Amino acid sequence: MLTVTENAATVIKGLAARVEGAEHPGLRIGASNDAAGFAVELTAEPVAGDEVIERDGSRVFLDQTAVPKLSDKELDALIEEGSVRFSLRNQS
């Protein structure tokens, strides 16, 4: 199962707080038109069938195509010059 670093959880919570009118917003990771990548978006809630991963109050929603591809990965986040960059690496 995808794991979320403490840093990524903090960033996701901060970003999700900007989603208006949502009780439990999160970051959704799903299929992309680019076969090698993923689509990432802030959303108010998961889509039916999404796997929900929670850490320290943050929520990540994985669509069914992303689940097997990310099962052995760790999601991290870095803030540089006001921009957020998410990265994936193999779990240690």
Side-chain angles (χ1 to χ4, degrees), residues 6-88:
E6 182 179 341
N7 191 49
T10 301
V11 170
I12 292 166
K13 276 193 322 191
L15 292 171
R18 298 177 185 177
V19 178
E20 293 184 25
E23 280 189 48
H24 303 289
L27 184 76
R28 186 164 193 272
I29 302 174
S32 170
N33 292 337
D34 174 2
F38 296 96
V40 178
E41 65 180 333
L42 288 173
T43 185
E45 59 189 32
V47 172
D50 281 357
E51 182 172 311
V52 179
I53 299 167
E54 297 187 42
R55 169 145 191 205
D56 301 331
S58 71
R59 298 179 76 194
V60 176
F61 314 131
L62 300 178
D63 82 3
Q64 291 303 304
T65 61
V67 171
K69 295 175 183 177
L70 299 177
S71 65
D72 63 344
K73 304 293 186 218
E74 179 179 65
L75 179 67
D76 197 12
L78 177 65
I79 300 175
E80 292 180 323
E81 299 177 18
S83 295
V84 175
R85 187 181 72 148
F86 289 101
S87 64
L88 293 166

